Amino acid sequence: MRIIEILKVIVLGMVEGFTEWLPISSTGHLILINKLIQLDVSPEFMEMFRVVIQLGAILAVVLLYFDRLNPLSRSKRGDQRRVALILWSKIIVACVPAAILGKLLDDWMDAHLYNGLVVSLMLILYGVFFILVENRNRKTEPQITKMWQLNYQTALYIGMFQVLALIPGTSRSGVTILGAVLLGCSRAIAAEFSFFVGIPIMFGASLLKLAKFGFHFSNAEIVYLVLGMLVAFLVSVYSIRFLMSWVKKNDFKVFGYYRIVLGVIVLIWYIMSTLMGRSMGAA
């Protein structure tokens, strides 16, 4: 186990922690960063690592919102426990579409969509969408400003938007936030519900990847996985607090511009690397 590989894992964990909750695609960033630093592991482990490292990020949500999400808390009264249970039922409803399609399409997506071209196009496409939606809503007051106002139908529709995040480069938090805002949620409610919906989705996706990998790890792989999750957890605590502070005073257009710029850079890089690969093959 080399120190340089440990440093690479720390970088990947930091990237996951920063990008998981910001609407800029954590999976897309992990794919691209790994292309640059290339962690010395098998492709099968890296495929699993990209997903399971998100468990660290999701544990940050559990920590920060534990009291609010915990219906069994002794500090809660009966009506408060009921509110927490109702919130969880809405979260489960929102998770159903992505859970079903994610299981059905997992292998196909790994084989066909995890590449620089798809990531770049999704970064650009949803970057444009963020700017258009923010411009559209500039003079519109949100209809849902409290979590209890978000009904089951709206939760299901947000879950349908989340299905789009199965495509790398889309951003799970980004597309659920975008969908929630389009459905009348305030930015703060959209961001928080996106956090909450990520809990069962990420746990489920991680278990699926672990089962697919087979739970057979070398000592080095265990260290990489645990360290990556730990770093992602620590950085996610900051990232979540930053985003919730940001949405109180700002819109999401800056993330849209960032996505477009990054997407163009990635697209240029993908085209150049493809052309260089073909020229080397021809030689």
Side-chain angles (χ1 to χ4, degrees), residues 35 56 85 87 137 171 279:
K35 290 287 185 182
L85 287 171
L87 175 57
N137 288 357
S171 169
S279 62

Side-chain angles (χ1 to χ4, degrees), residues 48-50 66 83 86 104 143 149 161 171 187 195 217-219 237 251 256:
M48 179 273 300
F49 178 87
R50 264 198 315 262
F66 183 78
V83 167
I86 291 172
L104 293 175
Q143 299 173 340
Q149 294 174 313
F161 275 97
S171 169
R187 296 185 188 96
F195 299 160
F217 302 101
S218 66
N219 291 335
V237 172
D251 60 27

